[in-house]
PDB file of all heavy atoms in Angstrom:
ATOM      1  N   PHE A 547     221.117 134.137  39.892  1.00 96.00           N
ATOM      2  CA  PHE A 547     221.254 135.281  38.980  1.00 96.00           C
ATOM      3  C   PHE A 547     222.280 135.024  37.867  1.00 96.00           C
ATOM      4  O   PHE A 547     222.430 135.832  36.974  1.00 96.00           O
ATOM      5  CB  PHE A 547     221.665 136.542  39.753  1.00 96.00           C
ATOM      6  CG  PHE A 547     220.515 137.190  40.471  1.00 96.00           C
ATOM      7  CD1 PHE A 547     220.560 137.420  41.824  1.00 96.00           C
ATOM      8  CD2 PHE A 547     219.376 137.578  39.763  1.00 96.00           C
ATOM      9  CE1 PHE A 547     219.496 138.024  42.487  1.00 96.00           C
ATOM     10  CE2 PHE A 547     218.309 138.177  40.410  1.00 96.00           C
ATOM     11  CZ  PHE A 547     218.365 138.391  41.774  1.00 96.00           C
ATOM     12  N   ILE A 548     223.019 133.918  37.988  1.00 97.00           N
ATOM     13  CA  ILE A 548     224.065 133.656  36.980  1.00 97.00           C
ATOM     14  C   ILE A 548     223.704 132.407  36.174  1.00 97.00           C
ATOM     15  O   ILE A 548     223.405 131.355  36.741  1.00 97.00           O
ATOM     16  CB  ILE A 548     225.436 133.405  37.648  1.00 97.00           C
ATOM     17  CG1 ILE A 548     225.822 134.549  38.579  1.00 97.00           C
ATOM     18  CG2 ILE A 548     226.522 133.149  36.616  1.00 97.00           C
ATOM     19  CD1 ILE A 548     226.272 135.798  37.908  1.00 97.00           C
ATOM     20  N   GLU A 549     223.737 132.546  34.862  1.00 97.00           N
ATOM     21  CA  GLU A 549     223.572 131.381  33.978  1.00 97.00           C
ATOM     22  C   GLU A 549     224.778 131.341  33.040  1.00 97.00           C
ATOM     23  O   GLU A 549     225.466 132.343  32.886  1.00 97.00           O
ATOM     24  CB  GLU A 549     222.278 131.537  33.167  1.00 97.00           C
ATOM     25  CG  GLU A 549     221.046 131.584  34.059  1.00 97.00           C
ATOM     26  CD  GLU A 549     219.756 131.798  33.283  1.00 97.00           C
ATOM     27  OE1 GLU A 549     219.821 132.122  32.077  1.00 97.00           O
ATOM     28  OE2 GLU A 549     218.693 131.650  33.903  1.00 97.00           O
ATOM     29  N   PHE A 550     224.989 130.183  32.449  1.00 97.00           N
ATOM     30  CA  PHE A 550     226.133 130.095  31.530  1.00 97.00           C
ATOM     31  C   PHE A 550     225.685 129.622  30.151  1.00 97.00           C
ATOM     32  O   PHE A 550     224.833 128.741  30.040  1.00 97.00           O
ATOM     33  CB  PHE A 550     227.192 129.146  32.090  1.00 97.00           C
ATOM     34  CG  PHE A 550     227.853 129.667  33.333  1.00 97.00           C
ATOM     35  CD1 PHE A 550     227.598 129.109  34.574  1.00 97.00           C
ATOM     36  CD2 PHE A 550     228.716 130.760  33.261  1.00 97.00           C
ATOM     37  CE1 PHE A 550     228.181 129.607  35.720  1.00 97.00           C
ATOM     38  CE2 PHE A 550     229.306 131.272  34.411  1.00 97.00           C
ATOM     39  CZ  PHE A 550     229.043 130.690  35.642  1.00 97.00           C
ATOM     40  N   GLU A 551     226.274 130.225  29.118  1.00 96.00           N
ATOM     41  CA  GLU A 551     225.991 129.801  27.738  1.00 96.00           C
ATOM     42  C   GLU A 551     227.200 129.058  27.197  1.00 96.00           C
ATOM     43  O   GLU A 551     228.333 129.536  27.296  1.00 96.00           O
ATOM     44  CB  GLU A 551     225.721 131.024  26.847  1.00 96.00           C
ATOM     45  CG  GLU A 551     224.500 131.787  27.263  1.00 96.00           C
ATOM     46  CD  GLU A 551     223.971 132.732  26.164  1.00 96.00           C
ATOM     47  OE1 GLU A 551     224.459 132.678  25.018  1.00 96.00           O
ATOM     48  OE2 GLU A 551     223.063 133.519  26.483  1.00 96.00           O
ATOM     49  N   VAL A 552     226.926 127.894  26.644  1.00 91.00           N
ATOM     50  CA  VAL A 552     228.006 127.088  26.060  1.00 91.00           C
ATOM     51  C   VAL A 552     227.606 126.822  24.616  1.00 91.00           C
ATOM     52  O   VAL A 552     226.459 126.452  24.355  1.00 91.00           O
ATOM     53  CB  VAL A 552     228.115 125.742  26.813  1.00 91.00           C
ATOM     54  CG1 VAL A 552     229.159 124.855  26.185  1.00 91.00           C
ATOM     55  CG2 VAL A 552     228.402 125.966  28.279  1.00 91.00           C
ATOM     56  N   THR A 553     228.529 127.001  23.676  1.00 83.00           N
ATOM     57  CA  THR A 553     228.116 126.819  22.271  1.00 83.00           C
ATOM     58  C   THR A 553     228.074 125.346  21.897  1.00 83.00           C
ATOM     59  O   THR A 553     228.739 124.510  22.509  1.00 83.00           O
ATOM     60  CB  THR A 553     229.066 127.530  21.278  1.00 83.00           C
ATOM     61  OG1 THR A 553     230.345 126.983  21.465  1.00 83.00           O
ATOM     62  CG2 THR A 553     229.067 129.012  21.464  1.00 83.00           C
ATOM     63  N   GLU A 554     227.308 125.082  20.854  1.00 70.00           N
ATOM     64  CA  GLU A 554     227.123 123.710  20.413  1.00 70.00           C
ATOM     65  C   GLU A 554     228.452 123.085  19.995  1.00 70.00           C
ATOM     66  O   GLU A 554     228.697 121.904  20.226  1.00 70.00           O
ATOM     67  CB  GLU A 554     226.156 123.715  19.226  1.00 70.00           C
ATOM     68  CG  GLU A 554     225.655 122.344  18.893  1.00 70.00           C
ATOM     69  CD  GLU A 554     224.767 122.350  17.653  1.00 70.00           C
ATOM     70  OE1 GLU A 554     224.392 123.429  17.177  1.00 70.00           O
ATOM     71  OE2 GLU A 554     224.482 121.258  17.181  1.00 70.00           O
ATOM     72  N   SER A 555     229.331 123.889  19.401  1.00 66.00           N
ATOM     73  CA  SER A 555     230.603 123.325  18.916  1.00 66.00           C
ATOM     74  C   SER A 555     231.471 122.815  20.069  1.00 66.00           C
ATOM     75  O   SER A 555     232.386 122.030  19.875  1.00 66.00           O
ATOM     76  CB  SER A 555     231.377 124.358  18.099  1.00 66.00           C
ATOM     77  OG  SER A 555     231.518 125.511  18.864  1.00 66.00           O
ATOM     78  N   ALA A 556     231.151 123.246  21.308  1.00 64.00           N
ATOM     79  CA  ALA A 556     231.919 122.771  22.466  1.00 64.00           C
ATOM     80  C   ALA A 556     231.773 121.269  22.638  1.00 64.00           C
ATOM     81  O   ALA A 556     232.576 120.621  23.288  1.00 64.00           O
ATOM     82  CB  ALA A 556     231.442 123.472  23.727  1.00 64.00           C
ATOM     83  N   MET A 557     230.715 120.706  22.029  1.00 58.00           N
ATOM     84  CA  MET A 557     230.421 119.303  22.322  1.00 58.00           C
ATOM     85  C   MET A 557     231.185 118.339  21.431  1.00 58.00           C
ATOM     86  O   MET A 557     231.262 117.156  21.725  1.00 58.00           O
ATOM     87  CB  MET A 557     228.931 119.068  22.143  1.00 58.00           C
ATOM     88  CG  MET A 557     228.132 119.992  23.030  1.00 58.00           C
ATOM     89  SD  MET A 557     226.522 119.376  23.344  1.00 58.00           S
ATOM     90  CE  MET A 557     225.848 119.436  21.760  1.00 58.00           C
ATOM     91  N   VAL A 558     231.737 118.855  20.327  1.00 61.00           N
ATOM     92  CA  VAL A 558     232.349 117.950  19.359  1.00 61.00           C
ATOM     93  C   VAL A 558     233.472 117.134  19.995  1.00 61.00           C
ATOM     94  O   VAL A 558     234.451 117.691  20.479  1.00 61.00           O
ATOM     95  CB  VAL A 558     232.879 118.749  18.141  1.00 61.00           C
ATOM     96  CG1 VAL A 558     233.483 117.807  17.108  1.00 61.00           C
ATOM     97  CG2 VAL A 558     231.744 119.545  17.534  1.00 61.00           C
ATOM     98  N   GLY A 559     233.299 115.852  19.993  1.00 61.00           N
ATOM     99  CA  GLY A 559     234.322 114.924  20.476  1.00 61.00           C
ATOM    100  C   GLY A 559     234.612 115.044  21.965  1.00 61.00           C
ATOM    101  O   GLY A 559     235.600 114.538  22.452  1.00 61.00           O
ATOM    102  N   ASN A 560     233.740 115.725  22.677  1.00 65.00           N
ATOM    103  CA  ASN A 560     234.100 116.088  24.035  1.00 65.00           C
ATOM    104  C   ASN A 560     232.921 115.887  24.976  1.00 65.00           C
ATOM    105  O   ASN A 560     232.844 116.506  26.024  1.00 65.00           O
ATOM    106  CB  ASN A 560     234.479 117.585  23.993  1.00 65.00           C
ATOM    107  CG  ASN A 560     235.334 117.978  25.141  1.00 65.00           C
ATOM    108  OD1 ASN A 560     235.791 117.114  25.878  1.00 65.00           O
ATOM    109  ND2 ASN A 560     235.519 119.264  25.317  1.00 65.00           N
ATOM    110  N   GLU A 561     231.985 115.025  24.544  1.00 72.00           N
ATOM    111  CA  GLU A 561     230.711 114.983  25.260  1.00 72.00           C
ATOM    112  C   GLU A 561     230.843 114.530  26.710  1.00 72.00           C
ATOM    113  O   GLU A 561     230.206 115.086  27.597  1.00 72.00           O
ATOM    114  CB  GLU A 561     229.723 114.080  24.522  1.00 72.00           C
ATOM    115  CG  GLU A 561     229.123 114.788  23.331  1.00 72.00           C
ATOM    116  CD  GLU A 561     229.142 113.961  22.077  1.00 72.00           C
ATOM    117  OE1 GLU A 561     228.852 112.773  22.160  1.00 72.00           O
ATOM    118  OE2 GLU A 561     229.483 114.496  21.011  1.00 72.00           O
TER     119      GLU A 561
END
Side-chain angles (χ1 to χ4, degrees):
F547 281 124
I548 306 285
E549 298 178 349
F550 293 108
E551 296 198 9
V552 177
T553 60
E554 193 184 350
S555 54
M557 303 202 295
V558 182
N560 201 9
E561 282 132 42

